[in-house]
Amino acid sequence: MPRFSEPRSEEALLARARTLAGRSIAEVAAALGLPVPADLRHHKGWVGHLVEKALGVTAGSAPVPDFASLGIELKTLPLDAEGVPTETTFVSSLDFGDPAALSWEGSSVRKKLARILWLPVQADPAVPLAERRFGNALLWSPTPEEEARLRADFEEIAGMIEAGFVERVTAHRGKVLQLRPKGANARQLRWMVDAEDGALARTAPRAFYLRRSFTAELVRRHWALGG
DNA sequence: CCGTGATCATTC
DNA sequence: GAATGATCACGG
């Protein structure tokens, strides 16, 4: 059954997450006394918030791990009928005000991806939201090979930003990790320091995302699903 | 206002 | 069909 308190160990967290396996969104929501929206069009992060409540996440929107004391990030992983992720995975926003944010070691990307609790959730559009079921959770850390691929993409993107070409970093760049706009709308802007002259300039807020091909590979390897 | 939770909608 | 760029809701 879902609980409200934060788990104190990896084992406790994983055990609790696995109680969600096979359960429907309607069941989990009912246990928490939450109504299920008809669809996600106006509730895009709803499933993620539902799972947070069920597993005892208290961190809110602070840029820290969901389970701060355990250093674990929680991510839902929406899968289609074949077990392939239907969406990219948000990793972290780019902090234009933090010089360390552009070094791999100091980056929020490395920290966020260091340990993730993946919770697969059915996302076949043919299945109504309330009837979709959760899968078996996986506590994951990147292998050295995966980290090398992530780091290579990150450093390519970070290098362009440091050189003053942030506007030329599109979502096409990066094999497993990409940088995309992330904001309420395209009109929202952030201040950044221009690499050339040090002047302040406005630019769109951006965030790092994992490509579907990367998480699809993860699913195939750990759940033996998909094609 | 901003960051986290993500998915949508248009274009390719 | 899949990917990119845009968008929606919420808490603090």
Side-chain angles (χ1 to χ4, degrees):
Chain A
M1 290 293 286
R3 300 288 182 74
F4 296 97
S5 59
E6 184 171 334
R8 292 179 192 169
S9 69
E10 281 196 355
E11 293 73 22
L13 172 58
L14 193 54
R16 185 179 299 182
R18 290 199 161 148
T19 66
L20 296 176
R23 295 167 63 93
S24 71
I25 283 178
E27 288 170 350
V28 175
L32 293 167
L34 298 173
V36 181
D39 58 67
L40 296 177
R41 186 162 182 247
H42 295 287
H43 304 274
K44 296 182 181 180
W46 186 84
V47 178
H49 292 309
L50 173 69
V51 171
E52 286 185 344
K53 290 184 177 71
L55 298 184
V57 172
T58 56
S61 66
V64 298
D66 295 313
F67 300 98
S69 62
L70 300 176
I72 296 173
E73 187 72 19
L74 173 65
K75 292 288 175 198
T76 57
L77 190 55
L79 305 180
D80 69 13
E82 269 97 53
V84 178
T86 59
E87 295 290 345
T88 55
T89 301
F90 168 76
V91 178
S92 69
S93 293
L94 175 58
D95 184 351
F96 289 105
D98 178 14
L102 292 179
S103 77
W104 174 248
E105 290 301 329
S107 71
S108 58
V109 173
R110 186 186 64 75
K111 292 170 191 166
K112 288 280 183 76
L113 295 180
R115 199 130 182 87
I116 292 187
L117 182 69
W118 295 102
L119 186 65
V121 57
Q122 205 175 359
D124 179 350
V127 179
L129 178 61
E131 297 173 20
R132 296 179 186 175
R133 294 184 182 279
F134 292 103
N136 212 11
L138 168 72
L139 201 45
W140 173 89
S141 293
T143 65
E145 290 75 18
E146 286 167 334
E147 176 159 351
R149 295 161 72 197
L150 293 162
R151 177 175 186 154
D153 285 349
F154 177 89
E155 291 184 336
E156 178 191 351
I157 293 167
M160 289 186 68
I161 296 170
E162 285 176 324
F165 299 121
V166 63
E167 303 298 343
R168 283 171 51 178
V169 179
T170 68
H172 293 90
R173 209 163 286 274
K175 295 183 179 68
V176 296
L177 186 74
Q178 63 179 173
L179 189 71
R180 301 219 305 274
K182 163 75 170 168
N185 56 62
R187 257 51 66 185
Q188 293 211 334
L189 299 173
R190 297 284 181 282
W191 288 106
M192 68 169 294
V193 178
D194 186 275
E196 287 295 310
D197 54 18
L200 286 176
R202 290 286 232 170
T203 193
R206 293 153 213 267
F208 290 95
Y209 292 80
L210 295 177
R211 289 190 178 280
R212 298 194 318 151
S213 55
F214 184 83
T215 50
E217 185 182 316
L218 193 153
V219 170
R220 282 196 299 272
R221 216 143 25 76
H222 294 280
W223 284 279
L225 294 173

